[in-house]
Amino acid sequence: MYQWLEVDLGERTKITAVATQGRYGSSDWLISYLLMFSDTGHNWQQYRQEDSIGFFPGNSNADSVVQYKLQQPVVARFLRLIPLDWNPSGRIGLRLETYGCPYTSDVMSLDGSSSLMYRLSPRLRQTSKEVISLKFKTQRNAGILLQAGGQGGLSLSLELERGKLLLLLRQDGTSSSEPQRLVSLGSLLDDQHWHHVVLERQSAHLNLTVDKHTQSVQTPAKFSQWDIEEVGINTLSNYHGCLENLLYNDLNLIELVKNSDHQVTVLGNVTFSCAEPVSVAVTFPGPQSFLQLPGGMASSSGDWSVGFQFRTWNKAGLLLTFDLPQQGGVVWLYLSEARLRLQILKDGRVLLELTAGSGLSDGQWHSVDLISRRGHNSEECRNPFDIFQGCMRRLTMDNQPVDLIKVQQRLLGNYSQLQIDMCGIIDRCSPSRCEHGGRCSQSWTVFHCNCSDSGYSGATCHSSVYEPSCEAYKHNGNTSGHFYIDVDGSGPVKPQLVYCNMTEENTWMVIQHNNTELTRVRPSPGVHQHSVHFDYSSEDEQLLAVISQSEHCEQDLSYHCRMSQGSPFSWWLGGPGSGHLQTYWGGAQPGSQQCACGLQGDCVDPQHYCNCDASRMEWTEDSGLLIHKESLPVRSLVLGDIQRPGSEAAYRVGPLRCHGDRNFWNAAFFDKETSYLHFPTFHGELSADISFLFKTTASSGVFLENLGIKDFIRIELSSSTQVVFSFDVGNGPLEVRVESSVPLNDDRWHRVRAERNVKEASLRLDDLPAATQEAPADGHFHLQLNSQLFIGGTASRQKGFRGCIRSLQLNGVTLDLEERAKITPGVQPGCPGHCSSYGSLCQNQGRCVERANGFHCDCGLSAYTGVFCHTEVSASFRSGTSVSYTFKEPYELMRNSSALPSSIYSDMTLRGENVSLSFRTNQSPALLLYVSSYYREYLALLINNSRRYFDFKLPFSASRSLIKPALCCLISWKWIFFWC
């Protein structure tokens, strides 16, 4: 161990690939190895694939060549290959080839007070797209890297802060102004390695790229017409480090400086080379890592001192220990709760304890200086504290630097499991793998996501904790109320709070806005139009997602008028964004420029298509439902013609109401093992979640499969009681299994939810506990698939699934199984038989009735009502008690019908052919119901000796309408449960 092969390429070279081969005619070959790169032969950097994998698989024999193309080419002069493992029957031996191209560049060095400023000519300012790119390397974690200034005192600034690169917008072009932070990207950029930065600007849209990670930002509108007038670094930048290939739209500014171009101004000490100080760091990567040094020499004052710098992500760990032989004690310097603590112990008793600093586990370099009486290091490492994982540098003893290169060469001290001449710290939270606003934190080896208050769960906050619709909440047994819904599951649309109105017929999602009341508009001097904007409780993308997912949406729109015409003086805006102009009104068709009465032919003035267009002196209205989803929601309303004498108007825009979930019941039935549906390749490189419901009578079958060259993903019913989620992302096949205590082939709906991310894979079945499988800490995490996605079968047409699959979502996107099934032999759209799974939701003897999409509860044989027959409709009567109600005669109702809405009267007269009630009593005889009429007709329902019978004087006929409203009004009073 601890050997390496180092190659000096003579100059900086763009390295694109490496290849290895065993030693000729031997048993010597490498099984795995690391690659290190450096510009100077010091401060090495380990090459990592996918930001995670540090090692390269090597050879399996002495003759075959194994080549790897680097995902990201490396520019370096020196290359080191460090063996990790080799043929156990041989020794370390290899042949090595390095592939690459010549690399030329222009470099300059700045000392913190230097400046370079390039003023653009007017011709260069008139470009539609501007690109600024550069490379930089520095040991300082703060400083202004670049500024781009323009007219109006506006400037863009690239600044280092705590090792991160910030893109700031300044208002007056000076560093003293309070800047607006646009984006933060990168981390640990003070590692004295080259980092590539690209800033692209097109109008007000900016893209910032640091190394291989990009973020986009939309700047304020005033920025869209802003022109860059100068680019460079001013004397206040405080940037210490090197720049390479500073380009503005492919114009090399460093080359212009070398050529003394008049458009470039340079001040201060600028050199065209990159002289970097040699600072040898050492990395403690794991629990077996330690460094042991001999005791230092005492100074003339008799003091003994130690100094060093460290950086870590861990909150605890032992930094240093040594004995005090003269005092007979021991010194411990360690981290605890991210604070530095010093303890001096003797005979197990604490003689002295000091604490300093806070938040020292932030990944930044922190300096420590310790001075004590003379002692020497302990010859053995006794550590009652957590192990230290992190980096150290600038280690001194008695004010003399420790030569760590001698330590590396085994000429000084002793060590184990160290990485010398490099700092192997990794920021696992940059970029953050936590989704949906989850907060990332980390230790030296792993990162964690805090998903609280995000509405999502899982190791990376990927999966929504909410249902996608009110329909889904209903089928979990919920009744009406406010619920959070997440329309696209793990997709980008955030959860939203809606009111779910669970009725017997439909399940409505109700989204309110800021004014659903009838609002009167009165004329105002000098105001010729009244404009009102409606702010909804949901954001625009949430509204549009709800409308798209729903089977039907509607919104009530009413315009009440007196001497106030509607068209063409009034209109409304509806639809996506700020909305499109609409000139039709409730109950009419888009583009018709009509109202409901125009389509029905019953406007108050036949010459007009809207009641309000008649401009009558008395109040009239145009009202109705807007049901065309492309015009919803109503964004704003503009009312004109309100300035004439006597003009008055009022409006009402109801809440947005939608019912039906187009995704929830989307299903397909597979009647053969060889039948399947295929879809485009599933793209879930970093995060993949799959959810669906299934029901079957078969004991096994593959639900889903997608293959790559080596990678794959598959979910299957492996037995009548077990579901298996298996995949391979390059680390070898992994499986997650869930075992059910009851058979799954019972022809009832069962829910499967599988998720795979960079930390773990999980599988849930119904309400059983989730099974998880951790991802390898140092392995691949990109899932690379390239074949078609097979649903209900496999590419080999073996082990196919027989049964129904419903509501299949991949990363929040629902696959339209029904539409694909219509054109696929062996697969039928839809799947009946929901009562076997949901029938238990119907309570109190309610009867489950099948529908094409779902079911409903028939409460006809129970004394209950409601969506699940859960609301009792009854009353308790004691002996001698009763309830009575006196109805008006029919002609009185008709004569005064203008006082009541016509719909109420028509309901009262047209309903009421049959009456039914449920009762329970131990009293006999008893009078259950008695209805008498103005004409001395009566109807009585009695019980005697446990027998019910009717007693009536005259038969009721369709010509008698008095009893009908009486019975119907009894229903609304809910004395006893019965219906018409």
Side-chain angles (χ1 to χ4, degrees):
M1 299 294 289
Y2 310 114
Q3 301 187 45
W4 67 79
L5 174 65
E6 181 177 311
V7 179
D8 182 356
L9 299 172
E11 59 184 359
R12 292 180 68 206
T13 303
K14 185 177 181 180
I15 302 170
T16 58
V18 294
T20 59
Q21 189 178 20
R23 189 166 68 87
Y24 177 74
S26 73
S27 299
D28 303 339
W29 63 82
L30 295 184
I31 296 176
S32 63
Y33 59 92
L34 300 178
L35 283 181
M36 302 284 182
F37 297 96
S38 172
D39 278 350
T40 61
H42 289 289
N43 189 31
W44 292 87
Q45 183 177 30
Q46 180 179 335
Y47 184 84
R48 293 180 177 272
Q49 310 170 74
E50 296 183 347
D51 294 331
S52 175
I53 304 173
F55 69 91
F56 286 79
N59 303 90
S60 57
N61 55 55
D63 299 320
S64 61
V65 175
V66 177
Q67 185 190 79
Y68 283 99
K69 291 184 179 179
L70 303 185
Q71 296 171 347
Q72 296 287 328
V74 174
V75 177
R77 173 177 171 177
F78 296 90
L79 175 149
R80 270 187 187 177
L81 184 148
I82 302 179
L84 293 179
D85 197 10
W86 50 91
N87 180 21
S89 300
R91 295 180 294 179
I92 298 175
L94 81 154
R95 287 171 277 180
L96 172 68
E97 188 84 28
T98 304
Y99 300 84
C101 334
Y103 181 80
T104 57
S105 66
D106 291 290
V107 180
M108 65 183 297
S109 179
L110 298 100
D111 63 359
S113 59
S114 354
S115 71
L116 177 155
M117 198 60 63
Y118 171 73
R119 294 197 63 83
L120 280 67
S121 64
R123 177 179 56 85
L124 290 177
R125 298 177 197 171
Q126 300 173 1
T127 57
S128 59
K129 183 177 181 180
E130 294 167 298
V131 180
I132 301 174
S133 65
L134 59 95
K135 283 188 174 182
F136 75 93
K137 68 182 332 183
T138 181
Q139 274 191 326
R140 307 256 182 125
N141 67 355
I144 300 176
L145 194 61
L146 191 74
Q147 282 186 310
Q151 75 270 24
L154 288 175
S155 68
L156 285 173
S157 180
L158 285 172
E159 304 186 14
L160 281 173
E161 183 180 289
R162 293 178 61 83
K164 297 179 181 289
L165 190 63
L166 310 182
L167 177 60
L168 306 177
L169 176 60
R170 295 187 180 274
Q171 295 297 318
D172 60 3
T174 65
S175 59
S176 60
S177 64
E178 186 65 31
Q180 176 185 349
R181 178 180 294 196
L182 299 178
V183 68
S184 172
L185 199 58
S187 181
L188 307 174
L189 301 178
D190 55 341
D191 58 359
Q192 197 64 13
H193 293 292
W194 287 109
H195 297 283
H196 188 212
V197 180
V198 179
L199 177 63
E200 299 173 282
R201 173 178 175 259
Q202 191 161 11
S203 185
H205 185 78
L206 296 174
N207 282 338
L208 177 64
T209 301
V210 177
D211 295 330
K212 56 183 178 180
H213 303 296
T214 301
Q215 281 195 23
S216 300
V217 64
Q218 194 72 22
T219 58
K222 63 181 179 180
F223 208 69
S224 59
Q225 303 300 321
W226 179 75
D227 289 330
I228 295 178
E229 295 178 345
E230 59 182 19
V231 176
I233 304 172
N234 63 36
T235 54
L236 302 176
S237 67
N238 195 35
Y239 173 71
H240 296 254
C242 302
L243 298 181
E244 179 184 61
N245 293 345
L246 174 56
L247 306 179
Y248 173 79
N249 285 353
D250 296 328
L251 189 65
N252 192 325
L253 303 189
I254 299 179
E255 185 179 10
L256 294 180
V257 175
K258 289 180 177 180
N259 296 331
S260 302
D261 191 283
H262 70 279
Q263 290 180 264
V264 185
T265 302
V266 177
L267 297 175
N269 184 21
V270 175
T271 58
F272 299 107
S273 62
C274 186
E276 49 187 287
V278 175
S279 177
V280 178
V282 59
T283 305
F284 297 80
Q288 305 302 318
S289 306
F290 73 86
L291 171 62
Q292 190 176 28
L293 296 173
M297 299 298 294
S299 64
S300 58
S301 63
D303 290 341
W304 190 94
S305 66
V306 174
F308 60 93
Q309 290 184 339
F310 73 92
R311 71 192 313 176
T312 183
W313 297 115
N314 291 355
K315 294 183 178 182
L318 177 66
L319 294 170
L320 182 71
T321 182
F322 57 88
D323 287 342
L324 297 173
Q326 294 178 353
Q327 291 84 1
V330 61
V331 176
W332 300 99
L333 184 65
Y334 62 98
L335 281 173
S336 176
E337 296 300 321
R339 306 190 71 187
L340 194 64
R341 296 182 184 274
L342 173 70
Q343 278 189 358
I344 299 179
L345 293 92
K346 182 177 181 181
D347 300 327
R349 186 166 53 90
V350 177
L351 301 180
L352 176 67
E353 186 167 15
L354 301 174
T355 302
S358 63
L360 302 179
S361 60
D362 56 359
Q364 304 295 308
W365 285 109
H366 299 283
S367 297
V368 179
D369 289 295
L370 175 65
I371 300 174
S372 71
R373 293 293 180 181
R374 180 181 177 183
H376 68 274
N377 289 81
S378 172
E379 290 300 319
E380 55 181 293
C381 291
R382 297 163 297 165
N383 184 8
F385 302 98
D386 293 329
I387 56 100
F388 173 73
Q389 290 176 293
C391 300
M392 288 188 184
R393 69 179 184 186
R394 299 179 182 175
L395 181 62
T396 63
M397 297 178 63
D398 290 341
N399 296 318
Q400 297 297 316
V402 175
D403 189 344
L404 292 175
I405 299 300
K406 283 189 176 181
V407 174
Q408 186 182 40
Q409 297 169 346
R410 303 285 182 181
L411 301 177
L412 177 68
N414 188 22
Y415 71 91
S416 174
Q417 301 289 320
L418 293 186
Q419 296 171 334
I420 298 179
D421 206 5
M422 68 171 290
C423 178
I425 189 171
I426 302 172
D427 191 337
R428 302 178 188 275
C429 289
S430 180
S432 175
R433 303 298 182 190
C434 304
E435 303 177 52
H436 300 110
R439 297 181 297 278
C440 184
S441 61
Q442 67 175 322
S443 65
W444 183 263
T445 54
V446 295
F447 72 91
H448 304 276
C449 295
N450 184 346
C451 307
S452 59
D453 303 324
S454 70
Y456 296 84
S457 65
T460 59
C461 310
H462 177 77
S463 297
S464 179
V465 300
Y466 303 115
E467 297 290 352
S469 65
C470 291
E471 191 86 11
Y473 277 109
K474 173 185 174 181
H475 290 83
N476 287 339
N478 294 283
T479 55
S480 298
H482 285 91
F483 296 91
Y484 277 98
I485 64 169
D486 195 334
V487 178
D488 65 344
S490 60
V493 179
K494 295 186 292 186
Q496 56 186 308
L497 183 64
V498 303
Y499 182 76
C500 294
N501 187 13
M502 318 288 193
T503 68
E504 295 181 26
E505 289 299 317
N506 294 308
T507 303
W508 293 91
M509 281 188 286
V510 183
I511 302 177
Q512 299 285 349
H513 58 75
N514 58 328
N515 183 15
T516 58
E517 301 297 325
L518 182 65
T519 304
R520 198 164 183 172
V521 180
R522 289 184 172 85
S524 299
V527 178
H528 299 287
Q529 285 182 337
H530 178 80
S531 178
V532 59
H533 180 74
F534 301 103
D535 295 319
Y536 289 82
S537 57
S538 298
E539 298 176 2
D540 285 355
E541 63 177 5
Q542 296 172 326
L543 287 170
L544 298 179
V546 165
I547 293 171
S548 174
Q549 174 181 288
S550 302
E551 293 176 353
H552 170 84
C553 289
E554 64 184 37
Q555 201 164 3
D556 180 60
L557 175 60
S558 301
Y559 182 45
H560 301 256
C561 55
R562 190 174 71 157
M563 290 290 293
S564 176
Q565 282 185 262
S567 177
F569 303 103
S570 302
W571 61 87
W572 55 279
L573 299 176
S578 58
H580 304 291
L581 190 142
Q582 310 290 342
T583 56
Y584 77 100
W585 296 83
Q589 298 293 321
S592 65
Q593 297 186 351
Q594 296 185 15
C595 302
C597 70
L599 292 181
Q600 299 166 4
D602 58 358
C603 293
V604 295
D605 187 340
Q607 297 182 7
H608 296 283
Y609 295 111
C610 291
N611 289 323
C612 287
D613 291 351
S615 194
R616 296 289 186 92
M617 288 295 296
E618 64 273 10
W619 280 98
T620 185
E621 68 172 293
D622 290 302
S623 61
L625 292 176
L626 304 171
I627 60 173
H628 300 278
K629 295 202 295 183
E630 64 274 8
S631 302
L632 297 176
V634 177
R635 302 287 186 175
S636 56
L637 187 64
V638 178
L639 303 179
D641 194 26
I642 57 174
Q643 284 298 313
R644 287 188 293 160
S647 294
E648 288 186 276
Y651 64 87
R652 181 184 180 275
V653 176
L656 177 67
R657 301 172 71 243
C658 297
H659 74 72
D661 185 342
R662 297 170 59 191
N663 301 328
F664 191 74
W665 297 108
N666 193 300
F669 173 65
F670 303 83
D671 58 3
K672 298 178 182 177
E673 285 191 1
T674 56
S675 59
Y676 61 86
L677 296 177
H678 60 82
F679 290 87
T681 305
F682 174 43
H683 294 287
E685 284 78 7
L686 295 178
S687 294
D689 76 277
I690 303 168
S691 66
F692 59 91
L693 292 101
F694 77 91
K695 68 173 186 172
T696 183
T697 56
S699 59
S700 65
V702 175
F703 299 119
L704 172 149
E705 182 184 81
N706 205 161
L707 305 178
I709 297 175
K710 293 182 179 179
D711 297 2
F712 73 88
I713 190 168
R714 182 186 300 115
I715 304 177
E716 63 182 306
L717 181 68
S718 62
S719 71
S720 61
T721 58
Q722 191 175 80
V723 174
V724 178
F725 174 35
S726 56
F727 58 92
D728 189 345
V729 294
N731 304 310
L734 294 174
E735 287 187 349
V736 189
R737 296 173 176 266
V738 174
E739 185 83 27
S740 172
S741 59
V742 298
L744 301 173
N745 56 344
D746 55 356
D747 204 25
R748 296 167 64 93
W749 287 114
H750 298 279
R751 187 175 184 182
V752 174
R753 288 164 289 180
E755 180 184 345
R756 181 253 148 208
N757 53 57
V758 297
K759 281 185 69 72
E760 67 178 24
S762 64
L763 178 65
R764 292 179 180 272
L765 174 64
D766 295 332
D767 295 322
L768 297 174
T772 59
Q773 171 78 55
E774 287 190 12
D778 191 14
H780 298 271
F781 53 73
H782 282 282
L783 176 65
Q784 298 176 336
L785 307 174
N786 56 16
S787 72
Q788 290 181 319
L789 169 66
F790 288 84
I791 305 298
T794 65
S796 62
R797 297 197 177 189
Q798 296 179 350
K799 299 175 63 178
F801 172 73
R802 287 187 295 113
C804 291
I805 295 178
R806 173 166 71 84
S807 189
L808 174 60
Q809 283 194 326
L810 283 75
N811 276 354
V813 178
T814 300
L815 299 190
D816 195 341
L817 302 178
E818 290 190 359
E819 197 64 30
R820 190 59 60 93
K822 292 177 182 177
I823 58 173
T824 305
V827 185
Q828 301 174 20
C831 190
H834 305 299
C835 283
S836 60
S837 298
Y838 301 117
S840 60
L841 295 176
C842 298
Q843 306 169 28
N844 302 304
Q845 297 182 332
R847 185 170 60 91
C848 182
V849 179
E850 292 285 351
R851 285 179 172 174
N853 284 335
F855 74 100
H856 80 276
C857 295
D858 182 356
C859 310
L861 299 179
S862 70
Y864 293 80
T865 187
V867 63
F868 299 128
C869 308
H870 59 284
T871 303
E872 188 175 11
V873 185
S874 62
S876 177
F877 290 83
R878 294 190 300 273
S879 178
T881 62
S882 65
V883 178
S884 63
Y885 188 83
T886 303
F887 296 92
K888 292 185 178 182
E889 294 185 45
Y891 63 85
E892 291 183 35
L893 285 172
M894 294 176 66
R895 187 175 61 222
N896 298 323
S897 62
S898 60
L900 296 171
S902 59
S903 60
I904 296 179
Y905 180 72
S906 62
D907 286 347
M908 292 171 67
T909 56
L910 294 178
R911 295 181 183 172
E913 293 299 328
N914 300 297
V915 179
S916 175
L917 65 87
S918 298
F919 69 91
R920 182 174 62 190
T921 181
N922 56 10
Q923 181 181 353
S924 178
L927 176 63
L928 298 179
L929 177 67
Y930 183 83
V931 183
S932 63
S933 79
Y934 180 78
Y935 302 103
R936 300 186 184 277
E937 296 173 341
Y938 69 87
L939 167 68
L941 178 60
L942 305 95
I943 183 171
N944 191 22
N945 296 326
S946 300
R947 294 190 178 187
R948 288 161 286 170
Y949 62 91
F950 284 98
D951 182 15
F952 54 89
K953 183 176 181 182
L954 290 175
F956 292 98
S957 64
S959 63
R960 304 287 190 184
S961 61
L962 176 61
I963 300 302
K964 296 175 184 177
L967 299 179
C968 289
C969 287
L970 285 172
I971 295 169
S972 65
W973 279 76
K974 298 181 181 176
W975 294 329
I976 306 174
F977 183 78
F978 61 97
W979 56 93
C980 298

